Amino acid sequence: MRTAFDFSPLYRSSIGFDRVFDLLENASRVTTTIDNWPPYDIARIGEDDYRITMAVAGFSQDELSMTQEQNMLLVTGEKNGEDKAEYLHRGIAGRAFERRFQLADHVKVSGASLENGLLTIDLKREIPEEMKPRRIEIGSAAATPKVAQRKIEAERQAA
């Protein structure tokens, strides 16, 4: 059973959330055959710090690739050579994969490492200075009539 959500009432009172609504609509369209390999964890390790840990057993550093484009992190893995061994049982998956992560605005990859079959990707939200909250001074109401009064006096003198 699929449930469709109508986001049109939210468009009337919110500005700049188009991307969020698109993400919600795309998430509702995802089919039930989601590929869950390789397994991964996403952890929040600080106020603006996150960590993705992926289990990529059997992949070497040169067989893995990471690309960040705007708000998308793409992690791919592809085995280079053919293994000529005859397996009686193969439990360690070595198939190629592609995993995409949607990143929020201003989230950047700060580092990545591969250790003991775990790929660790550190992410940090770096809000630009101009986007941070700032205090706006409010002028007094008494200053406004003086400006208007000077303008009126200047118009009288010109006439």
Side-chain angles (χ1 to χ4, degrees):
M1 184 170 114
R2 185 174 170 204
T3 306
F5 296 103
D6 182 18
F7 296 111
S8 56
L10 297 174
Y11 284 114
R12 285 183 250 148
S13 61
S14 59
I15 300 167
F17 290 94
D18 301 337
R19 187 171 169 274
V20 174
F21 297 139
D22 290 342
L23 287 171
L24 291 171
E25 286 179 13
N26 291 339
S28 67
R29 289 188 202 129
V30 173
T31 61
T32 57
T33 58
I34 297 173
D35 184 21
N36 58 1
W37 193 85
Y40 64 92
D41 293 333
I42 300 175
R44 184 175 187 176
I45 57 173
E47 182 70 25
D48 291 324
D49 298 311
Y50 302 89
R51 178 172 289 149
I52 300 172
T53 306
M54 297 179 70
V56 291
F59 284 87
S60 65
Q61 194 169 354
D62 59 334
E63 296 170 329
L64 297 170
S65 170
M66 266 193 321
T67 308
Q68 181 179 0
E69 296 178 15
Q70 292 181 349
N71 295 343
M72 175 76 67
L73 175 63
L74 175 65
V75 181
T76 57
E78 189 170 346
K79 293 299 255 177
N80 289 334
E82 274 294 312
D83 192 2
K84 299 188 188 313
E86 181 181 332
Y87 289 94
L88 300 177
H89 171 74
R90 187 160 189 167
I92 300 173
R95 65 182 184 266
F97 68 89
E98 179 177 286
R99 176 69 66 189
R100 295 175 183 266
F101 298 96
Q102 288 284 336
L103 303 177
D105 293 336
H106 312 296
V107 173
K108 305 286 184 232
V109 175
S110 61
S113 63
L114 179 65
E115 187 176 344
N116 297 329
L118 294 175
L119 175 63
T120 304
I121 305 165
D122 293 319
L123 303 152
K124 182 162 187 68
R125 181 185 344 210
E126 297 175 346
I127 300 173
E129 197 63 38
E130 61 270 5
M131 300 290 290
K132 291 182 180 176
R134 59 186 168 91
R135 184 172 178 87
I136 300 171
E137 293 297 323
I138 301 172
S140 66
T144 307
K146 291 180 183 178
V147 173
Q149 186 178 11
R150 288 182 192 160
K151 183 179 178 182
I152 294 170
E153 289 176 10
E155 289 175 1
R156 286 183 188 166
Q157 291 174 358

